[in-house]
Amino acid sequence: MATVPAPVITATNLVKKYKDFAAVDGISFEVAPGESFGLLGPNGAGKSTTMRMVGAVSTRTSGDLSVLDLDPNQFGPEIRSQLGVVPQSDNLDAELRVRDNLIVYGRYFGLPIGRVKARADELLAFAQLEDKAKSKVDDLSGGMKRRLTIARALINDPRILLLDEPTTGLDPQARHILWDRLFRLKEQGTTLVLTTHYMDEAEQLCDRLVVVDKGTIMAEGSPAALIREYSSREVLEVRFGSEKNAEVAGRLEGIGERVEVLPDRILVYSDNGEAELVRITERGLHPITSLVRRSSLEDVFLRLTGRSLIE
Amino acid sequence: MSQHTLSGAEHALSGAVRPRRFGGWYVAEHRFRVMRSYLQTVAVTGIGNPFLYLFTMGVGLGSLVSQNLGPDAVNGVSYLQFVAPALLCSAAVTVTAEEFTYPVLLGFKWNPTFYAMNAAPIAPGQIIDGIVYSVIVRLFATCGIYYVFMVFFGAVPSGWGVVSILVAMLTGLAFGTMVMTYVATIEQDTGQVAMLMRFVLLPMTLFSGTFFPLGSMPWFLQWIGWISPLWHGTELSRVFAYGASEPAWLIVVHVLYLGALFVVGWLWSRRIAARRLNK
């Protein structure tokens, strides 16, 4: 067995308070080098605040935090010199052209201009933006802007890439292009830390994740392990019409391992969804629609919090 | 095999050496790249303004003054010589009223590039430093060109007049950094900068002894001049441009007042930036 490498990020009882409100309320986690680590949770869970503290731009209220064995309170610029940051909303420089955005950003790390220019061209290729080098930022599509922001975050060859909601607001095709790029980085051994409220994104990209809600960690593990622990193998979704769902739910006693009643549908957790559907119809209940699917992180979140991830 | 013989922490410590030392200059470099996009405006105002103002105010209005009051009508010099150092200071203030307002509002709010700089190793204070450095360079160019026009128009009788370039720059910085401290605090943009131009910059230019001596205004309006960096700068630059007689203590007051505003405005802006970017 290889020895376990020292973590690149260690957070212990991390707290961030704004006046009386605790945006982050005692979070602890570790990220190993080369790992792809996710913070999954709804909007306002404290994911972005955690990311800003890890990114050494937000001072923690209490708790311990170390990034690359350094304390962000004292070594902000040192830590940031080794990070790549993709913020939630693009803050590309609209006054500069695409390639100049990369060059200027590289200079903030004190990199020599020649090296920055060469690196900018490599990254334009990586981000599939070569033919946009001279374009204005405002003329790029949302997906292109995100790719440029990721390229910008890579200008310093970061050891850790922080991505805050990397694909929010993108169309499915743009998301898949982006995931492909991030997957390549992961393969190259870049440590990825990302926040998301998309369970499919977390399942695609994260080796391990924490489920965050109201500033605290609800669960931790790999996507598969979380699903195994907090959900069944399959989920049967049945709809009886929005007025009847609640009424029908009372007659589903003994069906499935667990039943969740949502306003628009009923979720039946079971290792065999089809069998449960048969049992339901045997009771004389006939759903308008039915669907059997594999459990996802969405179900984990629902189980843990009683709420849906995206409301 | 891993080629990393250094630990992450060691990489981090060496990676921040240059940004810690030169971060402000990297921000200035960014400003120059942006200024390139409005270089035409910079050039046209830098060359067009001195010509227009010196011609219309100094020569045009000046000839009217001379006709009525004689060639040494104001402070013992011609109106052109009286008004030119004031116009120089006023040009400096115009530059800083532009550079310390919109780019600052932009970076914090409209196109929050300051957050992007801060996510890189640049510290909030260095962002402010970089803006100040870049403005000093633009001021030097603008005031230098203005001075050349002044010499060309015969508006500077004294060789010491060249010092008025520095006085004008200091005047612009004293006013501009104080304005920056205010602009850096703007969270909700409701057109405050336009109001500032209309209700602070314009009256200040009119009531700072620019076009006529402060003493010719009613006493109850003269306080505007005393608090106005433009008046202090204008008076000081007149001392160098044509040897205007000014008590020594007042010269000291001018220098100290302008220097204090500049330093306080600069440091205060750094603090506001640090507070604002650390969320």
Side-chain angles (χ1 to χ4, degrees):
Chain A
M1 276 295 287
T3 51
V4 179
V8 287
I9 302 171
T10 308
T12 315
N13 282 325
L14 198 54
V15 173
K16 178 75 182 187
K17 281 187 179 165
Y18 297 102
K19 295 197 178 119
D20 292 335
F21 170 69
V24 174
D25 200 4
I27 279 184
S28 303
F29 62 87
E30 284 188 353
V31 180
E35 189 179 22
S36 181
F37 179 81
L39 295 115
L40 177 75
N43 291 327
K47 304 181 307 267
S48 297
T49 311
T50 305
M51 287 294 250
R52 279 201 299 273
M53 287 191 278
V54 172
V57 292
S58 176
T59 313
R60 62 183 182 270
T61 308
S62 66
D64 283 319
L65 180 62
S66 120
V67 182
L68 299 169
D69 291 327
L70 298 172
D71 182 342
N73 284 357
Q74 280 171 46
F75 296 98
E78 283 73 15
I79 291 169
R80 298 200 299 270
S81 78
Q82 305 300 309
L83 300 181
V85 178
V86 179
Q88 195 170 95
S89 51
D90 289 315
N91 52 21
L92 294 162
D93 198 324
E95 292 176 296
L96 298 173
R97 306 216 169 228
V98 167
R99 186 167 176 265
D100 288 340
N101 258 279
L102 299 179
I103 293 170
V104 159
Y105 209 73
R107 293 290 291 151
Y108 297 151
F109 292 84
L111 303 172
I113 190 84
R115 210 170 111 203
V116 167
K117 283 183 174 171
R119 182 84 181 126
D121 292 330
E122 282 169 33
L123 288 169
L124 284 176
F126 172 79
Q128 297 163 306
L129 289 168
E130 290 136 304
D131 52 340
K132 298 282 178 189
K134 291 211 160 74
S135 299
K136 288 183 178 169
V137 168
D138 282 337
D139 293 340
L140 300 182
S141 70
M144 288 174 177
K145 281 185 188 168
R146 290 262 90 181
R147 261 143 55 203
L148 181 59
T149 306
I150 290 173
R152 188 182 70 176
L154 295 172
I155 195 84
N156 60 322
D157 285 311
R159 298 179 150 251
I160 307 170
L161 187 61
L162 305 178
L163 302 125
D164 196 0
E165 303 277 348
T167 64
T168 298
L170 298 187
D171 61 59
Q173 195 198 353
R175 294 179 74 196
H176 280 282
I177 296 176
L178 209 74
W179 284 347
D180 169 63
R181 296 294 105 178
L182 293 177
F183 207 79
R184 275 164 206 251
L185 290 174
K186 186 164 138 47
E187 284 176 335
Q188 290 164 18
T190 309
T191 306
L192 302 182
V193 179
L194 63 123
T195 73
T196 183
H197 62 258
Y198 295 126
M199 64 227 159
D200 50 347
E201 186 159 278
E203 286 181 26
Q204 286 259 352
L205 294 174
C206 298
D207 301 326
R208 195 165 58 86
L209 54 91
V210 287
V211 178
V212 188
D213 190 39
K214 294 178 181 154
T216 56
I217 291 177
M218 312 291 292
E220 177 179 348
S222 69
L226 285 170
I227 291 167
R228 225 178 301 128
E229 186 171 351
Y230 294 98
S231 191
S232 54
R233 202 169 68 88
E234 291 185 348
V235 187
L236 167 66
E237 294 194 6
V238 283
R239 290 166 202 259
F240 292 92
S242 42
E243 293 93 36
K244 289 185 71 184
N245 283 339
E247 180 201 324
V248 170
R251 297 167 60 188
L252 293 181
E253 192 106 338
I255 289 189
E257 294 165 19
R258 195 165 58 86
V259 174
E260 286 276 356
V261 186
L262 301 182
D264 63 329
R265 68 209 136 115
I266 298 171
L267 306 181
V268 178
Y269 291 93
S270 166
D271 281 341
N272 188 342
E274 292 292 349
E276 302 299 341
L277 182 59
V278 172
R279 292 178 63 195
I280 290 174
T281 46
E282 280 169 1
R283 292 189 183 186
L285 299 169
H286 298 282
I288 304 165
T289 63
S290 63
L291 162 79
V292 176
R293 60 170 173 82
R294 294 178 69 91
S295 267
S296 74
L297 288 170
E298 176 83 45
D299 301 300
V300 173
F301 190 78
L302 191 64
R303 171 75 185 274
L304 289 169
T305 67
R307 288 178 296 123
S308 181
L309 259 174
I310 305 165
E311 296 280 47
Chain B
M1 278 302 290
S2 166
Q3 68 271 49
H4 297 304
T5 47
L6 291 176
S7 74
E10 285 164 328
H11 271 283
L13 292 173
S14 64
V17 171
R18 290 179 65 83
R20 270 201 192 266
R21 199 171 299 162
F22 304 114
W25 290 105
Y26 300 143
V27 175
E29 193 180 313
H30 164 262
R31 287 299 311 148
F32 294 135
R33 279 178 191 274
V34 171
M35 277 182 204
R36 256 203 324 225
S37 65
Y38 57 91
L39 188 64
Q40 278 174 318
T41 320
V42 173
V44 168
T45 54
I47 295 166
N49 277 352
F51 179 78
L52 285 173
Y53 274 97
L54 288 169
F55 188 77
T56 55
M57 292 295 156
V59 180
L61 190 61
S63 66
L64 193 69
V65 174
S66 308
Q67 264 174 30
N68 287 286
L69 300 169
D72 302 326
V74 201
N75 275 5
V77 290
S78 75
Y79 186 70
L80 173 66
Q81 289 164 347
F82 168 79
V83 85
L87 291 175
L88 175 67
C89 290
S90 171
V93 165
T94 309
V95 165
T96 58
E98 187 186 321
E99 292 288 348
F100 283 121
T101 51
Y102 292 109
V104 175
L105 202 53
L106 196 73
F108 276 119
K109 193 169 171 60
W110 293 334
N111 179 197
T113 50
F114 292 172
Y115 291 88
M117 293 174 185
N118 188 217
I122 306 291
Q126 291 178 316
I127 297 173
I128 300 298
D129 296 349
I131 295 171
V132 173
Y133 300 159
S134 67
V135 174
I136 289 175
V137 172
R138 187 179 160 190
L139 271 179
F140 185 71
T142 305
C143 295
I145 293 169
Y146 215 109
Y147 188 75
V148 169
F149 272 90
M150 283 164 62
V151 171
F152 182 74
F153 272 84
V156 212
S158 163
W160 284 101
V162 74
V163 180
S164 61
I165 295 176
L166 296 178
V167 174
M169 288 171 66
L170 181 61
T171 308
L173 291 166
F175 172 73
T177 54
M178 290 309 281
V179 167
M180 174 163 64
T181 58
Y182 168 64
V183 174
T185 63
I186 296 177
E187 302 265 1
Q188 291 300 318
D189 181 16
T190 52
Q192 294 98 323
V193 172
M195 299 291 260
L196 200 78
M197 300 286 184
R198 218 163 292 158
F199 295 112
V200 176
L201 182 62
L202 185 65
M204 187 180 80
T205 310
L206 293 175
F207 295 115
S208 291
T210 312
F211 302 107
F212 46 85
L214 192 66
S216 36
M217 277 206 305
W219 61 268
F220 57 87
L221 282 180
Q222 291 186 12
W223 62 271
I224 300 177
W226 301 329
I227 60 165
S228 158
L230 186 54
W231 177 72
H232 290 277
T234 296
E235 290 299 290
L236 192 56
S237 65
R238 280 179 178 141
V239 171
F240 293 106
Y242 61 83
S245 61
E246 194 87 326
W249 67 267
L250 192 51
I251 292 177
V252 173
V253 167
H254 293 324
V255 175
L256 288 181
Y257 185 69
L258 294 173
L261 287 185
F262 173 37
V263 171
V264 169
W266 187 347
L267 296 180
W268 199 355
S269 299
R270 284 177 122 259
R271 286 187 61 142
I272 291 168
R275 220 180 307 145
R276 188 158 180 186
L277 294 180
N278 183 353
K279 276 194 177 163

